[in-house]
Amino acid sequence: MASPRHRNPVLAVIDAPWARPVGLLVILIAIWDLSVRIFQIPAYLIPTPWDVMLAFRNDGAMLAREAVPTTIATLAGFALSAAIGIPLAMLIAGSRTIEAYLYPLLVFSQSIPKVAIAPLFVVWFGFGIVPKVISAFLLGVFPVVVAGVQGFKSVEADMRDLARSMKASRLQTFAMVSLPHAMPAIFAGLKVSVTLAVVGAVVGEFVGSNSGLGFVLQRSIGNFELPTMFAALIVLALIGVVLFWVIDLVERLIVPWHASQRHDAFVTV
Amino acid sequence: MARPNTLRVIARNEGPSARRRLIDIRGLAKTYRTRDGEVPSLKPMDLDITEGEFICVVGPSGCGKSTLLKLVAGLIPASAGEILIDGKAVTEPPDDVGIVFQSPVLLAWRTVLRNVMLPVEVRRLDRASHLERARQLLKTAGLNGFENKYPWQLSGGMQQRAAICRALVHDPKIVLMDEPFGALDAMTREKMNLELQRIQYETGKTIMLITHSIPEAIFLADRVVVMTDRPGSVAAIYDVPLPRPRALDMMASPVFAELAKTIRGHFYAQGHLD
Ligand SMILES: Nc1ncnc2c1ncn2[C@@H]1O[C@H](COP(=O)(O)OP(=O)(O)OP(=O)(O)O)[C@@H](O)[C@H]1O
Ligand SMILES: [Mg+2]
């Protein structure tokens, strides 16, 4: 899409793709600030944006420090989700028997609230990184499996016939047809997965940890330090956004041919 | 286009015996087994196709045309009877066959040239020589300059032409086509018919093409196979006494009109407007 070129630099900034969400954010913050003032909401219920900003100034270093274990747990859980979820999706899509046995159980297990069983992991694995990673993995793996199964299964009948007519081996069919075909769906699943992995890591930290943003959240609520809690939430959201954005970037590199990725990349070819 | 004006008239009594039989279909029947019971799709049918012959199959929707093509392609097993290609029974997809499906089924992540080269890669054939042929085919199909484009950058007609190139890249003796031009507009379709007719005339390939269009069938075929309603079987086979190479204005000839009327009669008699 060719965006109109503005001579006026102010208009050019307003038209930039990043400016729109930022603009909306500014408006939301203004509404937040105004509502707190107009309805005179006490600071122990909702802090003002200014209070949160101060919390960033005072506790910024602490938040940055605590963000590290959360991010590590998120990434580890996410990596596990991808490493186990994608092959699992392959198996489920490839065999009716495996699908019949496994898929219903998977859906069933997904309905168990992770917050409820997270303490169990602490009992099993102690106050380390392991319970967090498991909880991030448990939340992150399901979208990868569901999206992967759908991707692998949506290969058209004609496409399968084409592969068979060329006497393609199972491996060839998989590598040349099924896997590339499933890639866009897998990436859609990975994007959901990474944001859920953040939630999973925080849940893990909630129930059994003395480090990480989840722990900060827990502690600041207990101490009625609402500005700090809001600041921690914002950092968490930022982690999610950055990870999402990184996967989006990788997707652009790996599946540039997909309809959702057809930007300017090929128009110049 | 200057070409030797070889006229090949296939008369009714010249018959298959004059040339070598390439495809032998004997008592072929297919019944799909599904969860809600058996779906008979083909009643036992016989058909001989000689080498270099262009066969078009027409019939009411759902009568088993695609089933017949998939059976010949070795993609599904027959319930009864057999198919012999070059005297060998078809039990798996034969090597000497290229297939064109109703939709182009190009791989979106491969460029046009790499799509055309797919059978070469899968079958592990010699790359260099086939690359030459692939480029040549694309040029013949009017796709030169599009080798490195992706399928979505091509129009529907161009995609289908690329699919035909892919079916021809390993130079198969037999080409099977299942309504290859069904999704194209009338004008593109006529042009493609003309091109396909020319390719077959020049290369002498044996082609079995399924179509919904009676004029298309008559224009392309040496023989038109008319199928009965489901479960399908051969209702009649008509020789097309038109000389080759054919031009589009032959569609206006009395022979053409007469044949079209006769074939159309089958469907009216069965209560079908195909
Ligand atoms: N995989 C399948 N399983 C069960 N029944 C099938 C299957 N494929 C086709 N049939 C049935 O066999 C019959 C013939 O199908 P086929 O696709 O060969 O028809 P067709 O002549 O190609 O129709 P069309 O002109 O609409 O493409 C249909 O009635 C259909 O219901
Ligand atoms: Mg069909």
Side-chain angles (χ1 to χ4, degrees), chain B residues 61-67 70 102 178-179 210 212:
Chain B
S61 184
C63 74
K65 303 184 294 293
S66 298
T67 303
K70 281 183 195 165
Q102 179 159 9
D178 191 352
E179 299 186 34
I210 287 166
H212 269 129

Side-chain angles (χ1 to χ4, degrees), chain A residues 70-131:
Chain A
T70 308
T71 309
I72 291 175
T74 303
L75 284 177
F78 172 68
L80 266 182
S81 302
I84 293 175
I86 295 173
L88 206 60
M90 270 157 50
L91 285 177
I92 290 172
S95 152
R96 269 174 209 281
T97 321
I98 295 181
E99 181 183 12
Y101 278 97
L102 210 59
Y103 216 16
L105 281 185
L106 209 69
V107 176
F108 174 75
S109 75
Q110 193 56 24
S111 317
I112 299 172
K114 307 294 170 302
V115 192
I117 53 168
L120 204 57
F121 305 137
V122 180
V123 175
W124 290 345
F125 303 104
F127 278 77
I129 189 173
V130 182

Side-chain angles (χ1 to χ4, degrees), chain B residues 153-226:
Chain B
Q153 294 174 303
L154 270 56
S155 72
M158 292 162 92
Q159 291 185 17
Q160 197 56 284
R161 273 182 273 168
I164 293 172
C165 292
R166 180 182 57 198
L168 295 174
V169 74
H170 60 295
D171 201 19
K173 222 190 285 182
I174 300 165
V175 183
L176 305 174
M177 307 174 112
D178 191 352
E179 299 186 34
F181 310 131
L184 304 184
D185 64 279
M187 233 140 69
T188 314
R189 194 163 180 164
E190 281 191 346
K191 258 173 101 177
M192 302 281 287
N193 283 343
L194 209 55
E195 275 178 46
L196 181 63
Q197 189 265 153
R198 188 177 57 74
I199 291 175
Q200 196 267 344
Y201 177 68
E202 287 176 358
T203 59
K205 294 206 181 302
T206 308
I207 300 184
M208 181 164 129
L209 183 142
I210 287 166
T211 176
H212 269 129
S213 156
I214 295 171
E216 182 173 270
I218 299 173
F219 178 74
L220 290 171
D222 294 320
R223 283 192 296 159
V224 178
V225 175
V226 182

Side-chain angles (χ1 to χ4, degrees), chain A residues 99-187:
Chain A
E99 181 183 12
Y101 278 97
L102 210 59
Y103 216 16
L105 281 185
L106 209 69
V107 176
F108 174 75
S109 75
Q110 193 56 24
S111 317
I112 299 172
K114 307 294 170 302
V115 192
I117 53 168
L120 204 57
F121 305 137
V122 180
V123 175
W124 290 345
F125 303 104
F127 278 77
I129 189 173
V130 182
K132 300 195 223 176
V133 174
I134 291 178
S135 141
F137 161 73
L138 286 180
L139 272 179
V141 73
F142 193 63
V144 179
V145 176
V146 173
V149 168
Q150 199 230 311
F152 285 116
K153 278 194 160 185
S154 65
V155 179
E156 305 150 56
D158 276 356
M159 197 83 94
R160 285 180 206 287
D161 280 347
L162 175 74
R164 295 230 340 269
S165 74
M166 297 184 295
K167 287 222 196 93
S169 65
R170 273 184 85 108
L171 188 67
Q172 278 179 322
T173 307
F174 176 73
M176 289 183 179
V177 179
S178 309
L179 184 62
H181 184 90
M183 264 329 198
I186 290 176
F187 267 103

Side-chain angles (χ1 to χ4, degrees), chain B residues 32-273:
Chain B
Y32 287 104
R33 281 177 225 297
T34 65
R35 234 174 277 167
D36 348 303
E38 305 200 327
V39 184
S41 297
L42 271 188
K43 272 197 294 215
M45 61 175 283
D46 299 299
L47 183 66
D48 290 334
I49 301 175
T50 55
E51 187 155 18
E53 198 174 20
F54 201 138
I55 293 281
C56 285
V57 180
V58 293
S61 184
C63 74
K65 303 184 294 293
S66 298
T67 303
L68 172 64
L69 186 118
K70 281 183 195 165
L71 285 163
V72 176
L75 293 171
I76 50 175
S79 309
E82 59 175 0
I83 302 163
L84 302 176
I85 292 184
D86 250 342
K88 237 186 87 201
V90 173
T91 49
E92 54 166 8
D95 282 323
D96 227 3
V97 170
I99 305 181
V100 181
F101 297 91
Q102 179 159 9
S103 59
V105 280
L106 299 172
L107 304 180
W109 49 94
R110 283 176 167 245
T111 60
V112 171
L113 184 64
R114 291 195 62 223
N115 261 294
V116 173
M117 289 294 284
L118 184 72
V120 179
E121 272 178 54
V122 172
R123 294 169 192 271
R124 300 185 211 283
L125 304 173
D126 173 55
R127 194 181 144 72
S129 61
H130 284 89
L131 193 64
E132 192 51 46
R133 185 184 291 136
R135 286 186 192 283
Q136 198 56 50
L137 279 169
L138 284 169
K139 210 168 147 196
T140 316
L143 289 172
N144 45 334
F146 288 90
E147 290 92 344
N148 297 319
K149 300 269 191 224
Y150 285 82
W152 56 271
Q153 294 174 303
L154 270 56
S155 72
M158 292 162 92
Q159 291 185 17
Q160 197 56 284
R161 273 182 273 168
I164 293 172
C165 292
R166 180 182 57 198
L168 295 174
V169 74
H170 60 295
D171 201 19
K173 222 190 285 182
I174 300 165
V175 183
L176 305 174
M177 307 174 112
D178 191 352
E179 299 186 34
F181 310 131
L184 304 184
D185 64 279
M187 233 140 69
T188 314
R189 194 163 180 164
E190 281 191 346
K191 258 173 101 177
M192 302 281 287
N193 283 343
L194 209 55
E195 275 178 46
L196 181 63
Q197 189 265 153
R198 188 177 57 74
I199 291 175
Q200 196 267 344
Y201 177 68
E202 287 176 358
T203 59
K205 294 206 181 302
T206 308
I207 300 184
M208 181 164 129
L209 183 142
I210 287 166
T211 176
H212 269 129
S213 156
I214 295 171
E216 182 173 270
I218 299 173
F219 178 74
L220 290 171
D222 294 320
R223 283 192 296 159
V224 178
V225 175
V226 182
M227 287 180 67
T228 62
D229 213 345
R230 192 174 74 91
S233 172
V234 177
I237 301 178
Y238 293 96
D239 291 336
V240 182
L242 291 171
R244 288 185 190 270
R246 293 177 185 165
L248 285 176
D249 43 11
M250 282 183 189
M251 289 186 162
S253 74
V255 179
F256 196 102
E258 189 58 37
L259 199 48
K261 202 176 142 209
T262 315
I263 294 174
R264 201 162 279 128
H266 279 278
F267 303 126
Y268 281 112
Q270 292 173 1
H272 268 279
L273 293 168

